[in-house]
């Protein structure tokens, strides 16, 4: 029996920014070792449908793109499939050229066929030489007349290891328009729905999806496949845990596919992730990549890991990310041909085998932040690895215009990272985790950001109190964190157009450096700067005129921790550019918070081994289906 692993598809939206992700009809050259677009012949008019495209006479179009090349190295590494067939259906005179790459991004031609009329051309390709990386793709060249690519797919005769479907779990809080769009995309994609057992829409908001225009129509179209669940706001972890809990009750589901709410879905990606999960040699988590919804050719990262000693997440090759496919497509990006192994995948899109949930439990009751990374680490320790699979992706509202390290989410950043470290770090005393955590506090204090330091202190107090607090304050920690903001004037974003704020000395402007380069002090200079600044803030009383009016102004991109502390007060643009925050030095607040931060981090360090034992002993109950079931009943 023939099984389709991957369909060649074209974008659902007639958006020219999306074309480089699906089709590459462009000519490229290399100047100063950088890929440069020489001519752009991309035309939306040549996209004839979801699976069809026109190739104009004399032109060449490559399907060596993010969504249409075949990620051969991942299939070789994680599955037992060793033979695939590429079938290309065309009409008109054309030449089909098949290429492959290796882990270094070197291209090699595999096969060439000339076709005419209505043709279906197959290429049998082995997956035996892609250990380090590599893709397979094809180009189509139209000859003396226009040709049409009628469709193409990558198939295998090999049977999958497992056959089950997936339940979809969408968690939402006041994003009803996005959710209806996602449901419509699913309803219009029978090829993806074929692999879906049930769609759980967990609505935790006050702006209900069921009240959104268009919901009734799509709900009728999906029928019993869609189940809407209302519950209080338990954060992402509570919403996704509910989907896991419900999926465990479904005999027709072998997986749960988690999806965020503020996304645009590529339905073929959903299909591919489930198919890959079926073929994986051992059960594994299959994650999707994240593109920026507001800058659609831009990819957030290829694979994410947690570094052991600082116990902090990051992208592999972080200095190369995000990657803009509008600037350099897949064929022009050698790094993206390497197979990259991930420690975890964000829960904007992640397929989880129910066997893994039965063995290791549901989400940690973390509300938000680190719930996805912690679960993947926990699953990995039990033998369920995570892959971030190229060609599987969606578009998510990015955090470019956000700074959640200084709002109410600072509590969850601090607490959940330390809890995850207690559960999974093998480094003595957590390695550099606590040192790094203290440094975060010091930077905030030097920048006169007292609200996040207060939240972080509350987080450390809760960690020290023991694991029971995580279930106890699941529904209350976020409202309490937001309420605390009223005590800190710096949290007010000044937007009143009738009262424009100005600083005494004007805006500070700095030389722009290259991407990921900073003029911050390093080495001995960093230690001297930190010590001098901490002492200066301890002894210095701000000038009253600088308290009454901000001394200087900073753009958000210039307001770094080694610049802002040089002044008594600063007017700083908010991350989204909608207004300005005023940061003012408060010596009494600074002294109290610095003392408390040092004391709390010392307590954590002294008690690390004891706390580690308590949290690890409590973990099975914290994440058990029974414990989550009781939470859902109590919050109903």
């Amino acid at each position: 029996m023939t099984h389709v692993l991957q369909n060649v598809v074209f974008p659902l939206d007639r958006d020219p920014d999306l074309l480089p992700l699906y089709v590459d009809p462009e000519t490229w050259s290399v100047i100063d070792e950088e890929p440069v677009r020489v001519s752009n012949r991309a035309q939306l008019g040549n996209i004839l449908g979801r699976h069809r495209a026109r190739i104009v006479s004399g032109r060449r179009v490559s399907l060596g793109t993010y969504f249409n090349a075949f990620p051969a190295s991942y299939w070789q590494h994680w599955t037992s499939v060793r033979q695939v067939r590429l079938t290309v259906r065309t009409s008109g005179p054309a030449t089909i050229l098949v290429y492959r790459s290796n882990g270094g991004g070197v291209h090699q031609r595999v096969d060439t066929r000339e076709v005419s009329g209505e043709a279906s051309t197959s290429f049998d390709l082995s997956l035996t030489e892609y250990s380090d990386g590599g893709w397979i793709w094809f180009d189509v060249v139209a000859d003396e007349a226009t040709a049409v690519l009628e469709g193409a797919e990558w198939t295998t005769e090999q049977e999958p290891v497992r056959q089950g479907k997936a339940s979809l779990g969408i968690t939402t809080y006041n994003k009803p328009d996005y959710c209806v769009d996602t449901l419509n995309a699913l309803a219009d994609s029978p090829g993806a729905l074929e692999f879906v057992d049930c769609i759980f829409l967990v609505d935790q908001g006050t702006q209900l999806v069921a009240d959104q225009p268009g919901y009734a129509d799509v709900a009728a179209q999906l029928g019993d496949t869609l189940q809407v669940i209302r519950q209080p706001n338990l954060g992402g972890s509570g919403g996704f845990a509910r989907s896991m809990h419900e999926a465990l009750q479904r005999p027709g589901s072998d997986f749960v596919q988690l999806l965020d709410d503020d996304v645009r879905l590529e339905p073929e990606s959903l299909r591919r992730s489930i198919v890959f999960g079926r073929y994986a040699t051992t059960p594994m988590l299959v994650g999707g990549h994240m593109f920026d919804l507001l800058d659609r050719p831009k990819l957030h990262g290829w694979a994410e890991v947690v570094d052991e000693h600082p116990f902090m997440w990051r992208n592999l090759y972080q200095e190369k990310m995000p990657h803009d496919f509008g600037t350099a497509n897949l064929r022009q990006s050698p790094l993206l041909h390497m197979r990259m192994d991930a420690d975890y995948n964000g829960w904007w899109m992640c397929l989880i085998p129910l066997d893994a949930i039965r063995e290791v439990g549901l989400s940690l009751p973390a509300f938000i932040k680190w719930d996805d990374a912690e679960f993947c680490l926990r699953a990995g320790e039990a033998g369920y690895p995570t892959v971030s699979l190229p060609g599987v992706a969606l578009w998510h509202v990015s955090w470019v215009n956000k700074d959640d390290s200084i709002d109410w989410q600072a509590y969850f950043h601090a607490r959940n990272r330390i809890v995850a470290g207690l559960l999974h770090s093998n480094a003595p005393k957590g390695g550099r985790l606590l040192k790094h955590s203290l440094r975060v506090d010091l930077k905030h204090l030097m920048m006169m950001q007292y609200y996040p330091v207060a939240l972080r202190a509350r987080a450390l107090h809760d960690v020290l109190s023991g694991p029971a607090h995580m279930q106890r304050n699941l529904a209350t920690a976020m409202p309490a964190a937001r309420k605390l903001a009223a005590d800190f004037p710096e949290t007010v974003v000044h937007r009143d157009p009738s009262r424009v704020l100005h600083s005494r000395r004007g805006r500070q402007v700095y030389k722009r450096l290259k991407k990921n380069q900073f003029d911050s002090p390093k080495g001995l200079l960093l230690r001297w700067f930190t010590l001098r600044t901490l002492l200066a803030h301890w002894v210095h009383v701000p000038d009253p005129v600088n308290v009454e009016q901000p001394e200087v102004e900073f753009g958000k991109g210039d307001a770094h921790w080694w610049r802002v502390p040089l002044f008594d007060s600063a007017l700083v643009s908010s991350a989204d550019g909608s207004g300005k925050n005023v940061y003012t030095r408060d010596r009494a607040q600074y002294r109290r918070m610095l003392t408390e931060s040092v004391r709390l981090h010392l307590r954590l360090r002294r008690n690390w081994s004891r706390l580690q034992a308590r949290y690890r002993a409590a973990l099975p109950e914290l994440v058990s289906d029974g414990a989550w079931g009781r939470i859902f009943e109590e919050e109903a």
Side-chain angles (χ1 to χ4, degrees):
M1 182 177 176
T2 300
H3 300 273
V4 177
L5 305 181
Q6 182 170 311
N7 292 296
V8 168
V9 294
F10 299 109
L12 291 168
D13 299 344
R14 296 186 65 79
D15 183 343
D17 285 345
L18 290 177
L19 278 180
L21 303 179
Y22 292 86
V23 61
D24 190 1
E26 299 164 335
T27 302
W28 293 74
S29 184
V30 176
I31 301 175
D32 293 333
E33 300 181 353
E34 292 293 332
V36 176
R37 182 184 295 151
V38 176
S39 64
N40 186 340
R41 294 168 175 163
Q43 296 180 8
L44 283 171
N46 288 327
I47 304 299
L48 304 178
R50 183 64 166 149
H51 303 283
R52 301 176 69 238
R54 179 190 298 115
I55 297 92
V56 177
S57 172
R59 301 281 177 83
R60 177 177 186 145
V61 169
S62 177
L63 280 300
T65 57
Y66 177 84
F67 278 118
N68 282 323
F70 185 77
S73 62
Y74 290 80
W75 279 90
Q76 176 178 321
H77 185 73
W78 295 110
T79 79
S80 60
V81 175
R82 291 296 176 266
Q83 193 80 18
V84 295
R85 173 171 292 176
L86 167 63
T87 301
V88 183
R89 295 181 302 282
T90 54
S91 58
T95 302
I96 303 170
L97 305 99
V98 180
Y99 292 89
R100 59 153 292 183
S101 65
N102 60 21
V106 177
H107 303 178
Q108 298 172 323
R109 188 187 295 183
V110 177
D111 204 345
T112 305
R113 305 273 178 84
E114 293 185 1
V115 296
S116 60
E118 303 287 334
S120 179
T121 310
S122 295
F123 303 87
D124 290 321
L125 306 161
S126 63
L127 302 182
T128 56
E129 299 176 337
Y130 299 93
S131 291
D132 294 334
W135 297 74
I136 312 174
W137 68 90
F138 67 97
D139 293 3
V140 181
V141 182
D143 294 338
E144 69 275 6
T146 294
V148 174
L149 172 63
E150 302 288 353
E153 59 270 335
W154 306 81
T155 62
T156 184
E157 298 298 317
Q158 185 168 323
E159 293 297 316
V161 178
R162 52 198 70 83
Q163 293 284 350
K165 296 184 177 183
S167 285
L168 269 59
I170 304 171
T171 296
T172 184
Y173 180 81
N174 292 348
K175 298 288 194 308
D177 49 345
Y178 284 103
C179 291
V180 170
D181 286 345
T182 296
L183 294 177
N184 275 314
L186 291 168
D188 293 339
S189 304
L193 278 181
E194 175 188 351
F195 294 85
V196 174
D197 178 36
C198 187
I199 302 171
F200 297 111
L201 179 61
V202 183
D203 195 339
Q204 304 186 131
T206 55
Q207 301 170 27
L208 301 184
V209 176
D211 296 335
Q212 179 71 13
Y215 169 78
D217 291 339
V218 73
Q221 195 173 351
L222 290 169
D224 293 339
T225 302
L226 175 62
Q227 294 188 23
V228 177
I229 300 170
R230 288 278 293 119
Q231 68 179 32
N233 186 12
L234 303 178
S237 65
F240 289 131
R242 184 61 180 267
S243 293
M244 295 176 179
H245 173 76
E246 299 293 338
L248 288 172
Q249 321 307 317
R250 302 280 307 185
S253 291
D254 276 0
F255 309 91
V256 60
Q257 173 79 266
L258 304 182
L259 293 174
D260 222 333
D261 55 355
D262 50 348
V263 303
R264 290 292 173 88
L265 182 66
E266 166 50 79
E268 173 68 14
S269 289
L270 177 67
R271 184 192 180 283
R272 291 176 187 179
S273 66
I274 299 170
V275 169
F276 194 88
R278 286 179 165 189
Y279 274 93
T281 306
T282 60
M284 66 184 307
L285 287 69
V286 184
H289 288 153
M290 186 195 105
F291 284 92
D292 187 343
L293 184 56
L294 303 180
D295 191 0
R296 300 183 78 175
K298 192 167 288 184
L299 179 72
H300 159 67
W302 205 256
E304 295 185 278
V305 297
V306 176
D307 284 336
E308 171 74 11
H309 282 274
F311 205 82
M312 190 62 190
W313 55 37
R314 68 173 175 87
N315 273 318
L316 280 177
Y317 297 96
Q318 184 146 315
E319 70 282 1
K320 300 290 187 180
M321 299 295 166
H323 179 82
D324 187 351
F325 281 92
T327 301
N329 215 326
L330 179 65
R331 293 181 300 151
Q332 294 82 37
S333 307
L335 178 66
L336 305 187
H337 293 248
M338 179 191 304
R339 194 196 82 238
M340 299 188 202
D341 295 337
D343 289 337
Y344 77 98
N345 199 95
W347 279 356
W348 47 77
M349 183 178 189
C350 189
L351 181 82
I352 303 175
L354 293 184
D355 284 347
I357 296 172
R358 292 186 184 99
E359 183 171 344
V360 307
L362 284 65
S363 170
L364 191 72
F367 195 79
I368 57 169
K369 306 301 177 187
W370 280 90
D371 47 350
D372 46 13
E374 188 281 327
F375 183 91
C376 290
L377 292 175
R378 185 174 5 129
E381 291 166 2
Y384 299 91
T386 295
V387 60
S388 295
L389 184 62
V392 172
L394 47 63
W395 291 267
H396 187 285
V397 175
S398 77
W399 36 86
V400 171
N401 293 330
K402 304 176 184 178
D403 188 352
D404 58 20
S405 68
I406 60 173
D407 66 13
W408 58 269
Q409 298 174 75
Y411 170 87
F412 298 100
H413 275 293
R415 185 197 66 174
N416 295 343
R417 178 188 175 195
I418 292 174
V419 169
L422 287 166
L423 293 172
H424 301 291
S425 174
N426 296 312
K429 303 290 185 181
R432 297 194 303 275
L433 192 164
L434 296 180
K435 181 179 179 181
H436 187 272
S437 176
L438 177 59
R439 285 172 53 194
V440 172
D441 279 357
L442 298 183
K443 289 180 179 180
H444 284 311
L445 286 170
M446 290 190 293
M447 292 183 68
M448 301 167 282
Q449 296 169 343
Y450 302 116
Y451 173 56
V453 179
L455 289 174
R456 290 173 54 81
R458 178 177 291 184
L460 269 58
H461 277 292
D462 284 346
V463 171
L464 285 162
S465 74
H469 83 274
M470 299 194 73
Q471 291 175 328
R472 188 172 59 246
N473 74 4
L474 178 61
T476 61
M478 184 272 285
R482 297 181 74 117
K483 183 179 179 181
L484 186 64
D487 297 338
F488 295 89
E490 80 213 40
T491 62
V492 176
V493 180
H494 298 271
R495 301 186 178 95
D496 186 355
S498 65
R499 183 175 177 269
V500 179
L501 297 181
H502 299 282
S503 63
R504 291 179 53 245
R505 297 170 54 184
R507 179 165 176 168
Q508 306 297 296
V509 180
Y510 299 86
K511 180 181 178 182
R512 292 294 179 184
L513 301 177
K514 292 182 179 180
K515 178 182 175 182
N516 295 318
Q517 289 187 358
F518 301 98
D519 57 353
S520 56
K522 297 176 178 62
L524 291 176
L525 285 177
L526 171 60
R527 296 184 180 184
W528 169 243
F529 173 87
T530 303
L531 178 61
R532 183 185 64 187
T533 305
L534 292 173
L535 288 173
H537 280 237
W538 185 276
V539 301
H540 179 69
V541 178
D543 190 326
V545 298
N546 294 331
V547 175
E548 183 178 347
Q549 181 181 7
E551 183 177 2
V552 294
E553 180 180 350
F554 286 94
K556 184 64 178 178
D558 290 328
H560 292 297
W561 59 266
W562 60 91
R563 293 171 179 162
V564 175
L566 303 178
F567 305 95
D568 285 342
S569 57
L571 188 63
V572 180
S573 299
S574 59
D576 63 2
S578 65
K580 293 178 170 58
N581 300 81
V582 178
Y583 297 96
T584 305
R585 191 177 303 190
D586 183 332
R587 187 174 69 164
Q589 186 95 277
Y590 169 84
R591 287 179 170 182
R592 180 180 62 79
M593 287 186 165
L594 177 60
T595 302
E596 183 180 31
S597 177
V598 172
R599 180 176 58 82
L600 286 171
H601 283 90
L602 286 174
R603 278 186 63 193
L604 274 171
R605 183 170 180 80
R606 285 196 305 269
N607 291 283
W608 183 269
S609 297
R610 180 179 61 82
L611 286 168
Q612 191 170 58
R614 288 182 64 190
Y615 276 85
R616 293 186 178 188
L619 179 63
E621 175 60 19
L622 280 177
V623 300
S624 71
D625 187 51
W628 272 109
R630 289 190 292 274
I631 290 174
F632 300 140
E633 290 175 3
E634 292 168 3
E635 297 292 340

